[in-house]
Amino acid sequence: MMQVLGLGRFGWGAGAAVAIALLVAGSALVAQEKTARGQNLLKVDWADPEIAAFRASGVAPDDAAKGLDLKLPILAFGGVPQIVKNVAGPDAIMTKPRTIVSDPKQPYWYHLVDSYNGINIAINADRRVNVEGDAKFQIGAANVGAEATLGTKAKPRISIFDASKEEGMEGLVIEYTVQRFPDIPYTVTIECSAKAKTQCKDLAVIAKDEALLKIIAVGKQ
């Protein structure tokens, strides 16, 4: 709630006028951006230094992001994460091209996947407030509960889910969420095969890999 000061100094009439003016101005500043369907959207700080640096660099959008007219920056790993190298070897390369899924009618979210031998990495981002993600992008193992976490208030919380506890599933799932630009949640989900469990449990490496998250396309303001 906005607190208006100094009403006694100006008298009730003048004070009320000042209060109304401030409230109107405040409402304009915090006007909630919405989708065509009326869903509230998280704000994007298009003046963010990371966005400005990407625009100034003149770097072309990632091939997978070309043609996508999304209204948010697209984050992905700018290099092969060390956790991938630990699983697939120091010369690990993607087993298929990076994929990005979104909806042209709702350009406020995306689902990105990088696939390697024994390990897949997905990144989900969504500006829409209070919406449930598409079921086909949800990982059942995430319902098992965290076995281990790592992090502080300044760092994302990393959770590990043992997929072998889900009937018919194997392997391991690691997940954490970072907030950027300034509060858009980007959730990183790492799926490891059963053979890669030991390597994938290195949370210190996963925490360091966060630094590799880079903008690969700015999106449309």
Side-chain angles (χ1 to χ4, degrees):
M1 178 180 292
M2 178 179 292
Q3 185 176 11
V4 181
L5 303 177
L7 295 187
R9 177 182 174 186
F10 294 104
W12 174 251
V18 171
I20 292 171
L22 288 173
L23 287 171
V24 170
S27 297
L29 289 174
V30 299
Q32 180 72 57
E33 189 179 355
K34 298 178 181 292
T35 69
R37 298 178 181 178
Q39 292 171 298
N40 290 337
L41 291 170
L42 294 171
K43 177 185 175 182
V44 178
D45 179 9
W46 295 105
D48 183 278
E50 190 175 354
I51 296 176
F54 182 85
R55 284 175 168 164
S57 70
V59 175
D62 184 89
D63 287 343
K66 289 179 179 177
L68 294 177
D69 213 10
L70 302 184
K71 293 188 176 182
L72 77 166
I74 300 178
L75 283 186
F77 284 97
V80 178
Q82 185 60 48
I83 196 68
V84 171
K85 294 179 181 180
N86 289 354
V87 171
D91 299 320
I93 59 173
M94 293 186 196
T95 55
K96 57 184 179 180
R98 169 177 284 160
T99 60
I100 303 177
V101 178
S102 190
D103 180 358
K105 295 181 180 180
Q106 291 285 319
Y108 310 105
W109 65 273
Y110 73 86
H111 174 79
L112 177 152
V113 178
D114 291 340
S115 300
Y116 299 88
N117 283 321
I119 181 170
N120 294 328
I121 297 179
I123 299 177
N124 291 283
D126 199 332
R127 288 182 59 196
R128 297 171 298 173
V129 178
N130 296 327
V131 296
E132 295 183 4
D134 193 314
K136 66 182 177 182
F137 297 139
Q138 294 177 359
I139 298 173
N143 295 322
V144 176
E147 288 189 336
T149 58
L150 175 71
T152 65
K153 290 182 179 180
K155 287 290 183 180
R157 191 174 185 84
I158 302 173
S159 300
I160 294 182
F161 308 101
D162 191 342
S164 63
K165 293 182 180 180
E166 287 281 300
E167 187 175 352
M169 296 182 68
E170 298 181 354
L172 206 68
V173 175
I174 302 99
E175 185 173 276
Y176 64 88
T177 299
V178 297
Q179 291 183 312
R180 300 278 184 88
F181 321 120
D183 299 317
I184 300 172
Y186 292 82
T187 298
V188 177
T189 303
I190 303 168
E191 296 182 77
C192 299
S193 66
K195 293 181 179 179
K197 276 188 177 184
T198 300
Q199 297 96 318
C200 282
K201 285 185 178 180
D202 194 335
L203 299 187
V205 167
I206 292 171
K208 289 181 180 178
D209 282 341
E210 182 207 342
L212 293 175
L213 284 172
K214 306 294 183 183
I215 295 176
I216 62 168
V218 165
K220 185 177 180 181
Q221 187 166 347

